[in-house]
Amino acid sequence: MTEGLKMQAVDEDLAKARRRQIFLAVTRVLARKSFHQATVKEMALEAGLAAGSIYMYLRSKDEILLLLAESMVGELVEALSEIRAHAEDDPRRELLAVMRVALDVIDRYREAFAVLNHELRYLEQRPQYRTALKELLRPYREALASPLERGRALGLIHFDDLLSVVEALHMLCSGLSMGASMLAKTDKETYWREIAGIVEGRFFEP
């Protein structure tokens, strides 16, 4: 590797590490206050950065929302190879495993996820963010869609409209964060058993 390529790799690794550092700091800040109450300076200081240096990695406060999406989806994507290996080509097992990892990520960053979920419509209405957001969320939606499509082809999973089902499954996972007041006394494992039971078709069993 040439010296120039080495420096580029180092710079990319540093930028990735810094974005991760900022992401974790933002999740801590959002556990204390709302996105609109929190300032970029506060988030930078939480990350251990000078107030102005955060703009080396994010161009605006709105891009913090994109960073939340990128980081959370990234954690799911990192788990996909292991999920698929353990699923042993069974799309039903793969689908449940993807949902379980998504639920774990949502639980890990509950407040930040709630903020992101609340602000999605705002981002989608802004042309400068719409395409980027769609690309950031695409791996997550594909992780749900892929086993659904294979399962339908094999006659193992039954549905009519793929996009509707993907959104419905996402909403099931999202409920752990979005139903915070109603689920204040419900632990993650209890919630998981119920939504997994719905997906597996036990909801109407005697």
Side-chain angles (χ1 to χ4, degrees), residues 19-119:
R19 288 175 67 82
R20 177 68 179 174
Q21 183 179 342
I22 294 166
F23 163 69
L24 293 174
V26 169
T27 63
R28 293 193 296 271
V29 171
L30 293 178
R32 303 193 297 262
K33 57 177 59 178
S34 74
F35 178 72
H36 296 288
Q37 290 175 326
T39 65
V40 174
K41 179 180 179 180
E42 182 177 7
M43 294 174 184
L45 294 176
E46 182 74 26
L49 301 172
S53 65
I54 197 170
Y55 290 110
M56 295 173 61
Y57 308 99
L58 300 164
R59 289 176 295 183
S60 68
K61 186 178 181 181
D62 286 342
E63 285 201 2
I64 289 172
L65 298 170
L66 297 180
L67 178 63
L68 293 178
E70 174 190 298
S71 301
M72 292 184 204
V73 171
E75 291 196 19
L76 172 67
V77 170
E78 286 178 1
L80 286 179
S81 59
E82 185 176 351
I83 286 173
R84 287 163 180 160
H86 288 150
E88 299 178 340
D89 293 325
D90 186 334
R92 297 166 299 186
R93 292 178 63 182
E94 182 178 332
L95 178 63
L96 286 171
V98 169
M99 289 182 63
R100 176 59 206 234
V101 172
L103 187 71
D104 288 342
V105 172
I106 290 168
D107 180 58
R108 195 174 301 133
Y109 309 114
R110 279 198 192 198
E111 294 85 0
F113 178 84
V115 167
L116 176 61
N117 199 69
H118 184 265
E119 300 293 337

Side-chain angles (χ1 to χ4, degrees), residues 100-186:
R100 176 59 206 234
V101 172
L103 187 71
D104 288 342
V105 172
I106 290 168
D107 180 58
R108 195 174 301 133
Y109 309 114
R110 279 198 192 198
E111 294 85 0
F113 178 84
V115 167
L116 176 61
N117 199 69
H118 184 265
E119 300 293 337
L120 276 179
R121 181 171 294 181
Y122 163 77
L123 288 178
E124 289 172 342
Q125 290 174 346
R126 298 176 70 84
Q128 66 268 42
Y129 299 128
R130 189 181 303 130
T131 300
L133 182 64
K134 183 178 180 180
E135 283 303 302
L136 289 173
L137 296 178
R138 180 173 54 81
Y140 170 45
R141 289 170 174 158
E142 288 181 351
L144 291 170
S146 177
L148 283 168
E149 290 181 303
R150 287 191 292 109
R152 180 164 62 177
L154 293 169
L156 299 173
I157 301 177
H158 309 283
F159 62 91
D160 293 320
D161 183 70
L162 178 65
L163 294 180
S164 296
V165 177
V166 167
E167 183 64 18
L169 295 180
H170 167 65
M171 293 306 293
L172 280 176
C173 295
S174 300
L176 184 64
S177 173
M178 303 313 296
S181 57
M182 183 180 294
L183 299 175
K185 296 182 180 180
T186 302

